[in-house]
Amino acid sequence: MSNAVSPLQGASFDGFARIEEQGLRGMITLRGDLADGGFGKAVAALTGCDVPDTRRCEVKGDYAVAWMSPDELLILCPHSAAEAGVAQLSKVLSGTHYLAANVSDARAVFRVSGEDARQVISKLAPVDMSPEAFGAGDFRRTRLAQTPAAFWMPNDKTIEFICFRSVADYVFALLSRAATPGTQV
Amino acid sequence: MLILRCPYCGVDADETELAAGGQAHIKRETVGASDEAFEEYLFMRENPKGVHFERWRHANGCGKWFHAARCTETLEVFGTYSAQTTEPPKEIRDKISEKRPGWSWGEFS
């Protein structure tokens, strides 16, 4: 097994919000019939979370389950647990129509934190970031400038992002630029 | 800017989150089709000033294809609906009839 490293190895930027690359995070793409009871049980057995509602995410300890599309979930877990997670899901779900893939090393994770963290996103994504429209527990797939990304808010002052690893550098530059001191909207 | 509500994830997605997929409700002609029917399928498209049905994909979102009914003249959106259908659902047609009495588009009216 090669020595896995995150794309920017913990790079950070301090502007009017703090941008940090989050290091390695395990991620499993899981597709199947979300309404199926057996599917929900398999997700719960691995993560302790229920299958989330549309555009929501469920968090429990190190694990989180996010709604990606009507037939797809993203499971977040410790990086070292992803391979075993896929194996466990495959075992439980075998015989049903499903797909489980370890995508941990294809992604990068960022955290934006600070009083005005929402502004950083408002500048880059076509999403209503007012507290009434988007809050803790919501999950949204969208674009950040020109690349696809997904984000959620662990709490009101923090936003966590997922993007493709190949564009991690671009996304970090985007976020840093958008958080440049003195550029609050 | 065109804003469409994705019927799968419920997001009011603006144009920049979507990918256009051309005209909706095209019936594929295949083995055994006449040359005329195949030409019609392959090349002929509606180009209306008014009510139009299109396919869109929520590319930077849930990734699903869906249908939209809108007016090409005013950019008014009559509604969006699932991709798993070969014709516009009744409530969409009714909504269009309310606003554009006497409309017709291809075989639908």
Side-chain angles (χ1 to χ4, degrees), chain B residues 38-92:
Chain B
F38 196 77
E39 186 204 13
E40 178 86 12
Y41 152 67
L42 205 53
F43 298 114
M44 300 316 220
R45 296 292 179 266
E46 302 285 336
N47 185 20
K49 181 178 175 185
V51 176
H52 196 27
F53 295 89
E54 290 173 323
R55 299 171 74 227
W56 286 87
R57 191 169 85 89
H58 196 186
N60 283 321
C62 67
K64 297 294 174 195
W65 284 97
F66 61 92
H67 284 132
R70 67 180 183 101
C71 176
T72 57
E73 198 177 359
T74 62
L75 288 191
E76 178 179 3
V77 177
F78 301 114
T80 55
Y81 51 100
S82 155
Q84 278 72 42
T85 177
T86 51
E87 54 179 57
K90 190 166 181 319
E91 66 263 26
I92 298 281

Side-chain angles (χ1 to χ4, degrees), chain A residues 23-28 62 74-82 102-105 109:
Chain A
L24 295 169
R25 180 82 67 92
M27 285 181 218
I28 301 169
D62 285 338
L74 182 71
I75 296 174
L76 294 133
C77 60
H79 189 266
S80 57
N102 178 3
V103 295
S104 312
D105 299 328
V109 185

Side-chain angles (χ1 to χ4, degrees), chain A residues 32-167:
Chain A
D33 180 0
L34 304 196
D36 183 65
F39 186 89
K41 266 190 210 146
V43 171
L46 178 66
T47 64
C49 303
D50 295 330
V51 173
D53 289 336
T54 304
R55 279 188 291 122
R56 300 282 293 173
C57 66
E58 301 271 341
V59 185
K60 209 157 231 175
D62 285 338
Y63 285 85
V65 182
W67 188 94
M68 296 290 273
S69 84
D71 55 5
E72 181 178 344
L73 299 177
L74 182 71
I75 296 174
L76 294 133
C77 60
H79 189 266
S80 57
E83 215 42 67
V86 172
Q88 185 185 330
L89 288 167
S90 304
K91 201 170 151 199
V92 179
L93 291 170
S94 70
T96 63
H97 186 67
Y98 82 103
L99 176 145
N102 178 3
V103 295
S104 312
D105 299 328
R107 304 287 163 84
V109 185
F110 291 92
R111 174 185 288 243
V112 181
S113 52
E115 283 297 319
D116 295 325
R118 286 169 184 275
Q119 289 191 13
V120 179
I121 313 309
S122 310
K123 288 185 186 181
L124 297 169
V127 179
D128 182 355
M129 287 305 292
S130 61
E132 306 83 59
F134 197 94
D138 283 329
F139 187 85
R140 175 72 194 256
R141 282 175 83 181
T142 181
R143 65 180 178 87
L144 267 196
Q146 301 187 42
T147 62
F151 58 85
W152 70 96
M153 299 187 79
N155 61 59
D156 199 46
K157 306 263 180 289
T158 314
I159 299 164
E160 292 207 332
F161 268 97
I162 302 171
C163 67
F164 289 116
R165 184 186 179 107
S166 54
V167 292

